[in-house]
Amino acid sequence: MSDRQERWTLEDITALFDRIFAERYQTRLIRGGEEPLYRPANSETPYHQVIFARGYYASALHEISHWCIAGAQRRQQEDYGYWYCPDGRDAEQQKAFEQAEIAPQALESIFTRACGRVFHVSVDNLGGDIEVDIEAFAARVEARAQRYLKEGLPARANAFQVALKRFYSDQATLAEAVAQAHATLDKMDKALPA
């Protein structure tokens, strides 16, 4: 195993996310069980939780992608208030699922590449009786990723990508990567109209 592979740890990705977003957005990345979930803060837990499935690194990046896209109102609702139909979808349900997944998976691909890893799209319908055109879906995801890169990422996604690149590609320390992400967020905040 190379030094680069050893750096792809859940501890690192969790520390990066939490140190960038916990104070500013009262949001933490949490290792979960079978299914991912976004849970807004409540009387028992004073922070929002981006819960990723089964301790998978790719699941963490995917769930972070959803969080980076969700607006302030969506972040006040469990699972951002979105519809989700589990594995075993019919053709119409699968089409709706794929449409909803293009942007998050596009961000996930950008994050994955920033970590120096290989991205794989997910159609998440292993139990379905329909044939899914994975290549066509992958092409739509890649086209959206390229559009993000050309037009700019959402603010939180941009800051997270900056941190991932600094930490994984540039071999910066965790503190340096987090500081760069904070500086990116501060710069974007100042650019917003008053």
Side-chain angles (χ1 to χ4, degrees):
M1 185 179 289
S2 73
D3 290 339
R4 184 184 270 296
Q5 288 173 318
E6 289 172 5
R7 291 194 80 190
W8 293 330
T9 68
L10 296 178
E11 292 78 14
D12 288 339
I13 200 72
T14 300
L16 280 167
F17 184 90
D18 288 357
R19 291 183 189 180
I20 297 166
F21 301 116
E23 185 177 329
R24 189 180 294 234
Y25 294 97
Q26 292 75 51
T27 306
R28 296 191 56 218
L29 183 63
I30 308 293
R31 180 180 180 162
E34 291 298 310
E35 294 294 329
L37 177 70
Y38 173 77
R39 186 174 291 139
N42 58 42
S43 59
E44 296 169 10
T45 308
Y47 52 85
H48 310 295
Q49 299 173 71
V50 175
I51 303 169
F52 63 99
R54 301 184 193 107
Y56 292 143
Y57 192 94
S59 177
L61 293 179
H62 183 77
E63 296 312 312
I64 292 166
S65 298
H66 277 287
W67 180 79
C68 285
I69 292 171
Q73 290 183 327
R74 288 275 185 196
R75 294 193 313 269
Q76 298 305 313
Q77 302 174 57
E78 184 165 295
D79 258 354
Y80 314 106
Y82 288 122
W83 158 89
Y84 177 74
C85 185
D87 193 356
R89 292 180 287 276
D90 63 26
E92 187 176 317
Q93 293 168 330
Q94 183 64 25
K95 184 177 178 181
F97 170 84
E98 289 179 17
Q99 188 60 37
E101 281 289 310
I102 290 171
Q105 289 198 35
L107 277 185
E108 178 189 353
S109 74
I110 292 167
F111 293 161
T112 302
R113 291 176 193 136
C115 295
R117 294 172 58 108
V118 176
F119 172 73
H120 303 281
V121 295
S122 173
V123 294
D124 192 31
N125 198 22
L126 302 175
D129 291 335
I130 61 164
E131 190 167 321
V132 177
D133 188 343
I134 295 173
E135 289 180 17
F137 179 61
R140 290 193 303 275
V141 168
E142 180 58 26
R144 183 63 181 103
Q146 292 305 313
R147 193 171 124 211
Y148 270 134
L149 293 171
K150 181 180 178 186
E151 297 173 4
L153 277 64
R156 287 171 284 135
N158 187 51
F160 194 62
Q161 180 205 30
V162 164
L164 293 173
K165 281 184 174 180
R166 289 284 291 137
F167 187 69
Y168 289 104
S169 297
D170 301 344
Q171 302 290 305
T173 66
L174 186 70
E176 291 167 338
V178 169
Q180 186 67 50
H182 283 164
T184 301
L185 285 169
D186 291 343
K187 183 177 179 183
M188 295 181 102
D189 286 348
K190 288 177 185 173
L192 292 175

